[in-house]
Amino acid sequence: MSMHRVLTTLGCVLTAVLATAWSPAPPTESAAPVAATTVRTHDGPVRGAAHDGYRTFEGIPYAASPVGRLRWAPPHRPAPWSGVRDATKPASACPQPAGEVPGGSTDEDCLHLNVTTPDGVGPARPRPVIVWLHGGGFTTGAGTSYDAHRMATRGDAVVVTVNYRLGALGFLAHSGLPGSGTFGLADQQAALRWVRAEIGAFGGDPHNVTLAGESAGGYSVCTQLASPAAAGLFNRAIIESGPCTGRPDRPFAPSSVPLSTARTAGADLAAKVGCGSARDVLACLRRVNVSRLLAAQDTDQQPTHTTPLLPSDPAAAITAGRFHHVPVLIGNNHDEGNGWAAGIIQAGHPVTPDTWPDVVASFFPSPGQAKAIVREYPVHRTDGGPVFGAVIGDANFACPTARTDGLLAAHVPVWRYEFADKHAPPLTSDTPPFPLGAPHARELPYLFDLGGRPRDLTAAQHRLADTMIDYWTRFARTANPNGPSSPHWSRHTVLTLAPDHIAPTPTAQPRHHCTFWNTLG
């Protein structure tokens, strides 16, 4: 295994470890019972749960169970049900290894979504809708990890969180298989079609839908911006730490791969599970146990472009202006790469002045590039971790986000932020080898209660969280995040988000090392 693959795999393992902090909190016996509430959908009525100021509806099917002949098929309409469907408990997460979901999941009957809506019957006008796509490297994650009640109540919005097929079950490509490499993206579109048809019954406005996500979820938003099949399914976009210009040679941020590459990976998977030489490879694959597929799939998963759903790499589509022209709110965290750097160091790969050139060369094998990076980011005796984190963050997130901002802003209104709370609460109890600052995913507890656990924030951080929710939900409502009680956010600035500093900075001001990365290519 190459050093590049070793380090990338360690980074992915770290992401899974971080995700365990999002696992649902165990129920307590003292929890007060909640009253039921029923909403009628076209497929049948669902009974949710009423809480203090909001209602939740969990585990609503938006597509048929993708099992048997529907494994690796485009999503189909769910079967209607008679009677009232219980929507007070979460449904299964899509198949995935252990991590964010304790013990993982092997249940393919997973194409469900969850709705959180404020109390109040018949508001003066329908509420804006935010559809949230979870992150997790297209390999892990679940919509139920994100308790959206604060966003719904403070922002007076309807929030929908979505499960979609992951790993090989979501992104397998094989010759002769319609939908190759994009089944998970097709699921997201099916969920958006469900929202368009059903969300009015929950008080939401089907004509004011914001598609939002973080990391792989943010990049999913990019793919839907570039997918002709998503036309008319959403009106605004929020992209958190998933820049649309991701590329496979920068492996920490999500990206897409061409169909030819995805088919090679699909053929390798078929061979690993004993189907490579079968007379009917796809029929054989559809009989393989889910656990065996999960064990055989690659750690890295990406959507596939040069396909009917995604004709172009999102970076190319956005560069050419061929995307759905909707307003966009986009951003990244100041120290995106520090979590990966810390995990790699803790796994036994120290970053010192002596080891630094080899570490860089593992990710940038071109000798000229590696030497230039070592010169631009010198490592001294005690700063190897933060320097390594800065390279990961700048190359994979900060600078691609800036490039995405510029490409989008040539066609649509764009608001760009940088989350910079250097004391953001950790997502695990582990002690890192150096202070992580504001790394990947640390903004999420400011928007959601992860796994239903109350956020552990200071009073100043609570105020920042409220401000962020205000910005996000005003953008969803009006396509402009500004309001009377928050610092003004200009379209030509980067808004810094920290408890003691919420202020815009001109985009012309140098940030990170993006001039260097633009020159490096």
Side-chain angles (χ1 to χ4, degrees), residues 196-207:
R196 184 172 58 185
E198 307 287 0
I199 206 65
F202 298 85
D205 184 352
H207 305 293

Side-chain angles (χ1 to χ4, degrees), residues 208-212 234-238 326-328 475-479:
N208 187 3
V209 175
T210 296
L211 186 61
F234 58 98
N235 310 91
R236 331 210 191 290
I238 297 176
V326 301
V328 177
F475 174 79
R477 177 170 288 102
T478 68

Side-chain angles (χ1 to χ4, degrees), residues 350-372:
V351 178
T352 68
D354 292 335
T355 65
W356 183 226
D358 290 337
V359 171
V360 172
S362 70
F363 289 98
F364 303 92
S366 167
Q369 283 194 345
K371 291 179 181 178

Side-chain angles (χ1 to χ4, degrees), residues 37 95 108 114 133 142-143 167 186 189 202 235 325 341 353 363 414 442 485:
T37 182
E108 291 180 85
N114 316 287
L133 304 176
Q189 293 181 2
F202 298 85
N235 310 91
H325 287 189
F363 289 98
V414 180
R442 285 286 178 89
S485 60

Side-chain angles (χ1 to χ4, degrees), residues 348-441:
H349 297 271
V351 178
T352 68
D354 292 335
T355 65
W356 183 226
D358 290 337
V359 171
V360 172
S362 70
F363 289 98
F364 303 92
S366 167
Q369 283 194 345
K371 291 179 181 178
I373 293 166
V374 169
R375 287 194 302 269
E376 184 75 11
Y377 295 82
V379 165
H380 304 98
R381 187 171 61 87
T382 61
D383 65 355
V387 172
F388 187 21
V391 169
I392 295 172
D394 289 356
N396 291 269
F397 294 97
C399 300
T401 297
R403 174 165 169 73
T404 301
D405 174 12
L407 293 171
L408 293 170
H411 303 277
V412 299
V414 180
W415 279 266
R416 181 170 150 219
Y417 72 88
E418 182 174 80
F419 178 79
D421 183 0
K422 62 183 178 181
H423 300 297
L427 298 180
T428 72
S429 59
D430 293 342
T431 301
F434 61 91
L436 299 186
H440 193 66

